[in-house]
């Protein structure tokens, strides 16, 4: 079974797992290369990636030959950009720093049509890509709240009880930082690992999807085995810089192996 | 009498009517074509259009040979983008989803200089286009609140009592959707039509301008006859797609007529 | 049978006919709309369209979900841009103003790999779209010489004898102009119509494809019946301006019908 | 001692003074020219300048050969854009219209990592420019609150008591406007001049840096003598227009001198 | 009498003089500022300016509110770009390095419609700006050959005898360099000054317009008095850098005056 | 000794070797990452890379913090683009497909100031980066002719005898293709390897620099040992795609190693 934008919910409900390609470079060319690589799903990062709206639209278009779902991490829980990216054809949104149930409700409000929310009607590109868009929108569009602070950890059950969320997404670096540790995408601190397990557990009980940011391919394998629905291979910038550095070193002399593409 | 950016208020107070060209394509080339078409006024849609700030500035410049007022629909009631578009030379703003008098006051706050509001001073492009800009700004700049939900319908009198608004703008699709109907720009539901009439009526009593989103040329004619000051011919994307589809069908065989360019 | 980039030669050899969508607006958004319209093939016009290289690449990417062949009309018979567009994934080129066999040979030289020509190797995007690209390139890539002057008309047999051309493309406006008439895409002058018929006839004898620029849907139907393999519906700019003008007139009063979208 | 991004705090604590180049034109070319001019520090104005995110990143890159600190004035006190600009490598932020201590706390929250604030972790470009970025970030990044209304003037002590602010920045035009005067960058009103002196005084007592917007080179000299740490030479657009106007007048006849480059 | 795109030939034939604003910065914002400055005519420099096609189109649009003629200096005597800029609405072209009558004939061939030349038909933007474009094109479009080498100096009579040229344009830096001197826009070498006078003289005898590149406002006044039809104030980049440098010096201490904005 | 733009000739004359980073992605972000990687020199590929003029300027600016020489491979031996890239600050040019001494002379003509060549004067960005630019230009600017066909191989001595060339650059893929073999950047055919050795040998005798395109880090090491001055690690697109593919495979299961990043 292939993961597509049309059946993302069904795919994961059927137990499917996914490797999520993470796009931080503001370029249709690298976006298309990411899509050609064959990732199961693709995310354009408008928060920490160097990407703004107009380039994000170009990137969505450049990836349009691929059936993989195109997700967008928006910069912040702001309704203007959330709605613009859905109208532009993203079938999923990841929203950073959802720390309370109120913040989760605001996110749902911005991303779901009435009566569930108050998303404004005008799916200018989305409706051309997906027939019957409005009627199917609540099934089609996957909305993920990031659980990535100590406060969110404590509030996780209330957050996940908010109707209209599709799932949660964990940012281990921010989570660790807010708990007083060094930010890391390959966390080793027992408290952070326990927090991650707790969030996953709560998501399972709430019937929500769960994804997580990963700093290496090995970490992606690990989280999928742990039970996450998807792990993100972050980031294109990190992997690009790492590949270039290794190639340069090989051209000059013996190779050096680095194990991670960065911490964000 | 020709409608221009300099006399938009006076034009409508004198009973003038206007057809508003609606720009959703992020391109100076199509924007210039819209201006050359001869619309009485022009709106760049940053909410549901595929347009961000930098391209909107290009579009304003590309339309600068036309005397028609250039309006911007901002993505949301957020002060940063509202002020940026006014500084860039838009002489009108349409703000989506104003549901309460407080939201209307926040909109006025962001778009009117002290003492009426708290717009920050720095009309970098606007002041080069309009002499004596700051002193005249409250006359020159037209601020429209969108009345497009059941909540706004109920609060319409309080919203329209907020000092500093120039008028209201109706979004029939969102209005219908929030009332429990299918979104449509050629609404047929009696309740929606009654709501539209009520909003127009309240605007007349409040001495405010009233415009409305329309999905066809025929609908524009209809709303102007009904008493609206202007109707928007939405959208360039819809009309482009419709024209292309019809031409292709004609090239292949007998023509098929479609009556609307979309619902947003 | 659907026309695709992979089988363009076979499609026409099997007697298929095509309506060619003509893109002159420098925008991925309108390009994607053209592709969604369902034209059999699509051409990005870098000669008279307002389009340069970087936007043309964006447009190719924005149309990549469609199987239709993406053709590029290059600005002039200059090898740099010809090769760049092929590397970027165009599977066809239309080159303006080929007046002599020498000019045709230079075009083939720039667009065919050795030994047929001297195209430089580096199909950076093309090879990711089409497996086995280099070996199949001479079949895959369709090269059209424009026959559009009195000189070219006279030299048509010699031009079409140049090995490596896939077909010819007629520009009626330039052809008429060079013969001393008003430029027109719906030519009525008997001499121009005779010239067009002669070129088509010579192409048939030479075993080459033949396409032609058309200013209306009716004209496309006509040329396909006359025997051309494809007719281009020119242009998106013309059809956009015409649709906008008609809609504005309808919004203001009784509609006026125009029959053509322009002469180029 | 040269002012650099690495030692901005130390430079001013040692009594250094700075002339701040103010960039309002959305162009890497003019940004690079500004950097080559040799300003002690450089600010990209995303509030009243005609500049959005993607161009601001280009401008930061185009100025990267200069050691001068690159500051960004964000459009509004919105966390999304504040964090994006820091991640993109700005080592300072100026935030408009901080009128209360609560607003100042929100600014600190968005721009400082835990535990001081809640900035999200992901310094994608910043960390490549500054080694040990996260640990040093609170020293490295300078956060300025604009004190530019009568309300802020009254609340200045409470605002400046908020932990995590590096300094204040005065906007004389908005300050004057909110006090009921004409906006001016060379203020003459005694009340405005007194307000400016009071703000500077409070900053000195709070141990904070103080900068101010200036409309001419003479005004910059004046404020540095008054005790400000830096004065901004606003703006590139104003100086460009003034230089062009003077040159044109000189080409046509006797020169006319203007004394200011604008009021914003 | 005001110089406009519509009557450029007539204006100069009536003895009008013009100051030409020279745009080298790739930005619609600075282009619009140049147009607002009130130059009699405006030139976009695609040769030594940092400007390519797509930005040049934006600049033409951004200057469209001004009636002043918009000229383009193309990068080289290449037909593709020459025709593209005319189609995009430039009503004049300056072509560098025309050293022989053959090169002048090639230039005319690319820029004049049949029968005078072989410009390809498709004035996509030009025809919307100028009614009856094709019929009037040879009057409307001004074509200037640059005479700027020792070889061109020698061939000046033959070059100027080529039918279809509107005038010549002198590049003193290149002219001086090719004669063995330092490049300068305020030439002092008697041989260079004599060459300039000779070229002007030949143009007068040939009935052609004559313009010249100038490095300061004073030099523009001088060349207009010498008899040139127009002098270019080169360049926006030079004047920008000079204005910024002077303002910075004034902010730091006593002003220093520079007399020239550069040599190209 | 570090290779810099200022001393490229001296560096190689002193026996220095260099690894050349090859940029094919049209993005300032990836260009800056390439520069941060620490390559000894950097090349922007405008021939087979997906890069046009305006983006190439952005990339040059984004790499400006690095002292490494910035080279440009132009799309073809066309004077317009050659001069534009030098004016924009490239201190080296690689020109494809120089097959004869006449073509080499044309290249020198376009890239060297009089009396050696006829490059037009106007180093708008270059002169701000390099003091005394014009006088030093023939030393500073490195001009490389690509020897990459059987014809060029035969004419190599005559080509290299053209005064004004700095060196040659070998394209093994095109060379192999023109000799009747599969294009490859890790050539194994004895005839191709012999041709490469012959070209290197002739360059050594002519006192010219010699560089070569390489498809892997190992190949770069090999060619430097063979005596080449520099080897290019081609390409960023190839290495990006390879790194992404490997990471995805590792995330899914056991890793697969690929040995080359492509053939162009
Ligand atoms: Mg995070
Ligand atoms: Mg709405
Ligand atoms: Mg033609
Ligand atoms: Mg202010
Ligand atoms: Mg010159
Ligand atoms: Mg090659």
């Amino acid at each position: 079974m292939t993961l597509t934008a049309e059946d993302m919910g069904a795919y994961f409900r059927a137990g499917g797992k996914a490797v999520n390609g993470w796009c931080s470079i503001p370029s249709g060319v690298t976006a298309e290369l990411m899509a050609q690589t064959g990732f199961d799903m693709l995310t354009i990062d408008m928060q920490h990636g160097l990407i703004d709206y107009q380039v994000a639209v170009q990137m969505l278009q450049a990836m349009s030959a691929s059936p993989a779902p195109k997700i967008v991490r928006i910069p912040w829980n702001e309704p203007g950009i959330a709605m613009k990216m859905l109208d532009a054809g993203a079938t999923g949104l990841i929203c950073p720093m959802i720390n309370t149930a109120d913040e989760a409700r605001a996110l749902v409000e911005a991303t779901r049509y009435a009566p569930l929310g108050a998303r404004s009607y005008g799916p200018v590109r989305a409706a051309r890509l997906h027939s019957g868009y409005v009627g199917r929108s609540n099934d089609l569009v996957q909305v993920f709240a990031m659980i990535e602070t100590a406060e969110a950890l404590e509030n996780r059950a209330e957050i996940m009880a908010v109707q209209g969320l599709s799932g949660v997404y964990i940012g281990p670096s921010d989570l660790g930082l807010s708990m007083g540790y060094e930010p890391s995408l390959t966390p080793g601190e027992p408290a952070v690992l326990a927090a991650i397990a707790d969030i996953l557990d709560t998501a399972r009980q709430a019937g929500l999807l769960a994804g997580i940011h990963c700093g290496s391919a090995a970490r992606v394998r690990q989280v999928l085995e742990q039970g996450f629905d998807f792990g993100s291979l972050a980031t294109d910038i990190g992997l690009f810089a790492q590949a270039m550095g290794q190639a340069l070193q090989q051209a000059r002399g013996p190779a050096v192996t680095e194990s991670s593409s960065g911490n964000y």
Side-chain angles (χ1 to χ4, degrees), chain A:
Chain A
M1 187 181 183
T2 298
L3 175 53
T4 73
E6 289 286 326
D7 68 0
M8 191 166 161
Y11 177 90
F12 287 122
R13 280 192 298 272
K17 299 286 182 181
V19 184
N20 183 26
W22 198 264
C23 305
S24 296
I25 300 171
S27 164
V29 168
T30 51
E32 191 180 37
L33 289 167
M34 293 290 281
Q36 290 169 341
T37 296
F39 286 100
D40 302 305
M41 52 190 282
L42 295 154
T43 299
I44 298 173
D45 185 6
M46 299 182 74
Q47 184 192 23
H48 297 303
L50 294 157
I51 300 171
D52 202 351
Y53 175 78
Q54 216 70 53
V55 172
V57 172
Q58 268 183 44
M59 293 170 73
L60 286 170
Q61 292 187 307
M63 302 190 302
S64 61
S66 159
K70 284 102 196 172
I71 311 298
V72 168
R73 178 159 74 173
I74 53 176
W76 202 249
N77 194 4
E78 296 168 339
I81 191 64
M83 295 188 207
K84 277 182 84 72
M85 296 318 304
L86 292 180
D87 288 349
T91 57
L93 287 191
I94 296 173
C95 181
M97 293 280 175
I98 298 297
N99 292 331
T100 65
D102 276 355
E103 291 174 0
R105 270 186 289 270
L107 174 61
V108 169
E109 182 105 347
T111 54
R112 300 298 185 190
Y113 287 121
L116 185 52
R119 177 180 168 194
S120 181
Y121 179 77
V124 61
R125 185 169 179 266
R128 289 184 193 279
L129 298 179
H130 304 286
S131 62
Y133 181 79
V134 178
R136 297 196 299 134
S137 174
N138 287 355
D139 271 354
L140 187 69
V141 172
Q142 310 296 319
V143 179
F144 295 89
M146 287 195 74
I147 306 293
E148 52 176 343
T149 63
E151 184 185 4
L153 178 67
E154 197 173 311
N155 295 333
R156 67 187 185 276
E158 290 80 0
I159 291 170
M160 295 193 213
V162 172
Q163 199 192 353
L165 287 187
S166 311
V168 294
Y169 186 72
I170 299 178
S173 291
D174 268 319
L175 182 59
L177 188 60
S178 86
M179 293 171 72
Y181 305 107
E182 290 288 300
S184 171
L185 289 183
T186 50
E189 291 288 344
V192 177
L193 291 170
I196 289 171
D198 288 349
I199 296 167
L200 175 58
D201 202 51
T202 308
R204 283 297 159 260
Q205 293 170 25
L208 295 188
L209 300 177
I212 184 165
H213 219 55
C214 301
S216 70
R219 176 73 184 149
V220 172
R221 264 214 309 277
Q222 199 175 40
V223 299
L224 296 183
E225 280 159 21
Q226 188 183 354
F228 280 92
D229 299 295
F230 65 94
S232 303
L233 191 53
T235 66
D236 56 353
I237 284 185
L239 288 163
F240 181 85
Q242 180 183 324
M244 285 299 162
Q246 286 177 355
L248 177 57
Q249 281 179 309
Q250 286 163 13
R252 284 183 173 149
V256 170
T257 304
E258 296 173 25
S259 59
S260 153
S261 67
N263 280 324
Y264 40 87

